[in-house]
């Protein structure tokens, strides 16, 4: 496997160009942050990822994590890599200073997540799951809970895990049966079993703070009766020291297709007592509402996993194509065989990988930017608009980035040819690792259901209409920006037309019959996501063109950005039109088939 290098120039272009970083630093919490400090953070973090984390990726895939007694041992090098990350305080960068955080915008944290996942997605799952647990406690925990747990979770001294899934309650979380019984001292006793718990047990930190969904004895049925509990691996004494081991134990580890070093645990609660000790977060029966407050960040995080894997796969494919000699490229003199990077079809593969990866980055970072605005803008109208955009684009960011990760990592294998099918090259690992991203945190089909069932009807379709208007405004800018951007303007205009008309059809027909809406959901989600990606690639082209005209930046780099945007518009964006038929075909054949 080739070495990983953090794509700092690409990240800088996106985070301080497509994203309005200057505007974010004017928001109240970020007044002490500037572009130079962001760049310094990303450069140093990228160095850690390249030099310390990335070399552990292959070892993790070939060795995996394993159980010893009632503990889990991670592969060689993982503890040291994690400790280097925690000791330097990297996990704290995007969190609030009052809990030991660095106070940087969330979009900076997302850029760091990209590098984490490129370097070693399996290991990255530990801090990323901890971030989700931090969010839940930060927004819904009591002040006492925040004081006890947050500082040591933000610092990386303790880890966190999310415990939702059960054997008979996967995506249907409302069917869970884990039980929580209140005690006289206000704590609860938790009994039951959870499956698919990422880093539910490991040797990276001295304590693990599990967030567990469970049902109290008199709770309503379904999701309305779910509560959320803190269940630490080790109980915490009043002085903050660790006390006795709680009755939560790993039963087994799943044997997986990818991310093999990330221990996916079956956890049992209360098998050796009357229950593991748990502490209610917020109110009883409000657990699902609390989970949804962190869902946008979590789903965006999964999309960024797809981005990270796509970038790593592209880097490896490009390195191989620039080293591998085979055949003669058109016009090449006979003698030494040509590098395969000179063959047109290989170049098409590489440019597809590059353009899609850049579009994924633009989409993920744009959503993260608006998460920051939605939290911290001074005007309520600005906060509302930003939150609406986040809500609309989150299912697209999660589903499209992970679907495209599967495509990009598959192309990466293809560039390697037969060597890509051989595990020793490492190309196949990225493909295997990518598959889970389409499944967890709500499968991409569930994202599509969320899009058509909850997001498209927002403000009676007004949020969707506003997004169409934004995309049309970019078309207008492109049309006035010269002949070099005309192909992008033309293709984007046609894609926006197709998206608007298909969205209108969906709202007219699907709102009356939910089966029609659900039948159209997945193709419409991909259609909309492609157009949104094309919109952002159009913005990329405008930015690169303006900087070239102003003599601002590396002209070769900016020319490549224009080439990539044009390629995306001409070769990827037209896929939109093949999705109009599937998205408007109705339900009859789908529901009429016998299985």
């Amino acid at each position: 496997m080739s070495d990983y290098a953090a794509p700092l120039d690409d990240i800088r272009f996106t985070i301080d160009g497509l994203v309005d970083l200057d505007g974010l630093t004017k928001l109240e919490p970020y007044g002490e942050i500037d572009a130079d400090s962001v760049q310094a953070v990303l450069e140093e973090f990228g160095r850690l990822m390249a030099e310390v984390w990335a070399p552990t990726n292959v070892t993790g895939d070939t060795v995996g994590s394993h159980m010893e007694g009632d503990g889990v041992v991670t592969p060689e090098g993982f503890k040291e890599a994690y400790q280097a990350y925690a000791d330097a305080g990297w996990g704290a960068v995007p969190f609030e200073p009052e809990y030991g955080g660095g106070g940087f915008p969330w979009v900076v944290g997302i850029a760091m997540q990209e590098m984490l996942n490129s370097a070693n997605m399996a290991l990255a799952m530990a801090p990323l799951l901890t971030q989700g647990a931090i969010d839940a406690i930060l927004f819904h925990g009591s002040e006492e809970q925040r004081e006890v747990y947050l500082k040591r979770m933000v610092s990386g001294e303790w880890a966190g895990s999310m415990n939702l899934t059960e054997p008979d309650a996967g995506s249907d979380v409302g069917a869970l049966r884990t039980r929580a019984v209140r005690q006289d001292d206000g704590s609860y006793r938790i009994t039951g079993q959870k499956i698919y718990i990422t880093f539910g047990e490991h040797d990276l930190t001295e304590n693990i703070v599990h967030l567990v969904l469970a049902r109290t004895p008199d709770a309503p049925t379904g999701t309305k009766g779910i509560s959320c509990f803190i269940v630490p691996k080790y109980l915490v004494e009043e002085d903050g020291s660790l006390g006795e081991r709680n009755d939560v134990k790993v039963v087994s580890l799943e044997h997986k297709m990818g991310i093999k070093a990330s221990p996916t645990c079956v956890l049992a609660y209360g098998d050796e007592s009357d229950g593991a000790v748990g502490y209610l977060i917020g109110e009883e029966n409000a657990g699902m509402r609390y989970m949804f407050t962190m869902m946008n960040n979590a789903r965006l995080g999964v999309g960024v996993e797809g981005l990270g894997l796509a970038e790593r796969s592209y880097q490896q494919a490009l390195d191989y194509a620039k080293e591998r000699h085979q055949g003669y490229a058109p016009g090449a003199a006979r003698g030494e065989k040509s590098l395969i990077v000179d063959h047109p079809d290989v170049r098409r593969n590489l440019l597809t990988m590059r353009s899609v990866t850049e579009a994924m980055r633009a989409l993920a970072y744009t959503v993260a930017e608006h998460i920051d605005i939605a939290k911290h803008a001074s005007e309520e109208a600005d906060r509302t608009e930003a939150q609406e955009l986040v809500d609309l684009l989150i299912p697209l960011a999660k589903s499209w980035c992970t679907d495209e990760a599967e495509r990009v990592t598959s192309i990466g294998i293809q560039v390697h040819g037969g060597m890509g099918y051989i595990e020793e090259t490492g190309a196949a690992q990225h493909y295997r690792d990518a598959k889970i991203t389409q499944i967890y945190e709500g499968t991409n089909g569930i994202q599509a259901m969320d899009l058509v069932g909850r997001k498209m009807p927002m403000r009676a379709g007004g949020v969707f209409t506003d997004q169409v208007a934004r995309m049309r405004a970019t078309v207008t800018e492109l049309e006035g920006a010269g002949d070099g951007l005309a192909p992008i303007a033309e293709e984007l205009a046609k894609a926006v037309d197709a998206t608007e008309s298909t969205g209108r059809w969906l709202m007219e027909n699907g709102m009356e019959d939910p089966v029609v809406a659900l039948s159209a959901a997945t193709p419409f989600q991909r259609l909309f996501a492609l157009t949104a990606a094309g919109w952002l690639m159009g913005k990329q082209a405008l930015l690169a063109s303006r900087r070239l005209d102003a003599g601002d930046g590396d002209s070769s780099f900016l020319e490549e950005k224009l080439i990539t945007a044009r390629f995306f518009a001409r070769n990827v964006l037209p896929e939109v039109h093949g999705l109009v038929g599937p998205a408007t075909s109705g339900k009859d054949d789908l529901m009429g088939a016998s299985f």
Side-chain angles (χ1 to χ4, degrees):
M1 181 182 289
S2 64
D3 294 336
Y4 167 70
L8 294 171
D9 289 340
D10 294 315
I11 289 173
R12 183 189 302 114
F13 179 84
T14 307
I15 208 169
D16 193 14
L18 287 182
V19 169
D20 182 11
L21 181 60
D22 185 57
L24 290 180
T25 61
K26 290 181 172 60
L27 299 178
E28 183 178 350
Y30 308 135
E32 302 299 317
I33 308 297
D34 58 24
D36 288 341
S37 61
V38 168
Q39 187 58 31
V41 164
L42 295 178
E43 286 180 1
E44 191 62 31
F45 188 72
R47 187 176 299 112
L48 175 71
M49 291 299 102
E51 296 176 0
V52 179
W53 275 52
T56 66
N57 197 38
V58 173
T59 302
D61 185 58
T62 54
V63 175
S65 294
H66 66 277
M67 287 182 61
E68 288 188 6
D70 61 359
V72 169
V73 177
T74 55
E76 181 180 356
F78 271 47
K79 289 177 69 173
E80 293 79 5
Y82 179 84
Q83 200 61 49
Y85 167 90
D87 286 348
W90 288 119
V93 167
F95 287 107
E96 285 76 358
E98 63 185 298
Y99 297 109
F104 277 73
W106 189 248
V107 70
V108 177
I110 288 297
M112 294 170 67
Q113 284 188 31
E114 176 192 333
M115 291 185 271
L116 276 166
N117 286 299
S118 288
N120 187 333
M121 178 183 160
L123 179 54
M125 297 294 289
L128 297 184
L129 266 293
T130 301
Q131 287 184 5
I134 288 170
D135 279 342
I137 297 172
L138 178 64
F139 291 111
H140 301 293
S142 67
E143 184 56 39
E144 180 184 1
Q145 290 169 344
R146 290 194 287 267
E147 287 297 321
V148 170
Y149 298 105
L150 282 189
K151 287 186 179 179
R152 282 188 273 192
M153 295 173 73
V154 167
S155 71
E157 182 181 350
W158 294 353
S161 80
M162 306 300 296
N163 289 234
L164 286 72
T165 308
E166 298 182 8
D168 295 320
S171 297
D172 182 13
V173 179
L176 68 82
R177 292 183 290 186
T178 297
R179 182 178 172 88
V181 179
R182 184 178 174 86
Q183 306 298 299
D184 292 340
D185 63 359
S187 67
Y188 288 74
R189 292 297 180 270
I190 314 294
T191 53
Q193 190 176 93
K194 297 287 185 177
I195 63 172
Y196 301 154
I197 308 307
T198 302
F199 274 94
E201 175 59 39
H202 57 83
D203 57 359
L204 303 181
T205 61
E206 64 180 5
N207 203 9
I208 305 171
V209 181
H210 302 290
L211 269 85
V212 183
L213 294 186
R215 193 181 300 281
T216 54
D218 299 324
T221 59
T223 57
K224 293 181 180 179
I226 293 174
S227 302
C228 185
F229 301 88
I230 295 171
V231 184
K233 175 180 175 179
Y234 288 96
L235 300 178
V236 183
E237 303 290 353
E238 288 187 6
D239 63 359
S241 63
L242 295 184
E244 65 183 62
R245 177 76 182 262
N246 207 352
D247 189 5
V248 49
K249 300 290 176 66
V250 58
V251 175
S252 63
L253 299 183
E254 304 295 352
H255 301 281
K256 300 174 296 186
M257 163 182 179
I259 53 169
K260 295 179 179 180
S262 167
T264 302
C265 303
V266 176
L267 294 181
Y269 292 84
D271 271 9
E272 299 175 3
S273 65
D274 61 349
V277 178
Y279 307 97
L280 178 69
I281 293 179
E283 302 173 353
E284 287 190 8
N285 305 325
M288 283 305 295
R289 177 161 55 85
Y290 299 159
M291 287 293 114
F292 272 106
T293 63
M294 52 160 283
M295 200 62 74
N296 278 346
N297 278 351
R299 289 178 173 176
L300 176 59
V302 175
V304 174
E305 290 177 345
L307 165 60
L309 291 170
E311 173 64 34
R312 185 78 184 267
S313 180
Y314 168 65
Q315 288 190 20
Q316 182 167 344
L318 178 61
D319 288 348
Y320 183 80
K322 292 166 73 173
E323 296 171 356
R324 168 71 167 158
H325 291 267
Q326 184 170 310
Y328 295 101
R334 292 305 184 261
E336 184 181 14
K337 301 286 187 179
S338 297
L339 291 168
I340 65 171
V341 73
D342 294 327
H343 291 284
D345 192 58
V346 173
R347 296 177 73 84
R348 173 179 293 278
N349 280 332
L350 291 170
L351 203 44
T352 299
M353 296 176 78
R354 186 171 87 184
S355 67
V356 168
T357 300
E358 290 187 7
M360 293 162 67
R361 182 178 292 115
L363 181 57
Y365 287 28
T366 296
V367 173
E369 172 192 17
H370 286 83
I371 288 174
D372 283 318
I373 296 170
K375 287 182 179 178
H376 301 300
S378 58
E379 298 296 327
E380 182 178 357
D382 293 336
R383 294 195 299 272
T384 299
E385 181 182 8
Q387 188 61 56
E388 288 179 341
L389 184 63
V390 169
D391 290 341
L392 183 67
L393 296 186
I394 278 290
L396 309 186
K398 194 279 183 183
S399 65
W400 189 73
C401 289
T402 58
D403 283 344
E404 290 305 292
E406 183 185 47
R407 170 157 75 162
V408 169
T409 55
S410 176
I411 295 173
I413 294 173
Q414 191 71 25
V415 170
H416 284 75
M419 292 301 295
Y421 203 68
I422 305 300
E423 288 287 357
E424 282 77 3
T425 65
Q429 180 189 347
H430 309 312
Y431 182 77
R432 290 186 285 100
D433 287 351
K435 186 59 194 178
I436 187 59
T437 65
Q438 298 171 295
I439 297 170
Y440 62 19
E441 210 57 62
T443 65
N444 288 354
I446 288 175
Q447 305 303 318
M449 293 165 61
D450 177 53
L451 175 65
V452 302
R454 295 189 179 95
K455 306 308 175 52
M456 290 294 287
M458 288 190 301
R459 215 166 11 91
V463 175
F464 172 71
T465 301
D466 287 350
Q467 177 58 21
V468 169
R470 290 186 194 97
M471 296 189 292
R472 289 205 186 281
T474 299
V475 170
T476 300
E477 288 187 79
L478 289 163
E479 289 171 339
D483 293 343
L485 303 189
I488 304 174
E490 180 181 354
E491 293 298 338
L492 181 57
K494 291 189 289 188
V496 174
D497 286 344
T499 302
E500 182 179 31
S501 62
T502 307
R504 188 183 307 116
W505 182 93
L506 179 64
M507 286 187 280
E508 290 173 354
N509 294 273
M511 299 307 110
E512 296 179 0
D513 186 344
V515 179
V516 170
L518 295 174
S519 299
T522 289
F524 176 73
Q525 177 170 256
R526 180 162 179 78
L527 183 160
F528 189 7
L530 277 165
T531 303
W535 162 59
L536 292 169
M537 292 300 277
K539 291 170 75 71
Q540 169 172 306
L542 285 165
L543 175 62
S545 179
R546 289 166 183 159
R547 289 185 175 179
L548 276 169
D549 290 344
D552 178 16
D554 182 337
S555 60
S556 297
F557 174 82
L558 295 170
E559 289 285 2
E560 289 297 320
K561 289 296 179 189
L562 285 173
I563 290 170
T564 305
R566 279 197 299 268
F567 181 89
F568 187 92
R570 287 168 161 164
N571 294 270
V572 180
L573 187 55
E575 295 172 13
V576 162
H577 307 295
L579 292 162
V580 173
T584 58
S585 62
K587 66 177 183 179
D588 292 347
D589 291 336
L590 194 64
M591 304 309 294
S594 298
F595 295 106

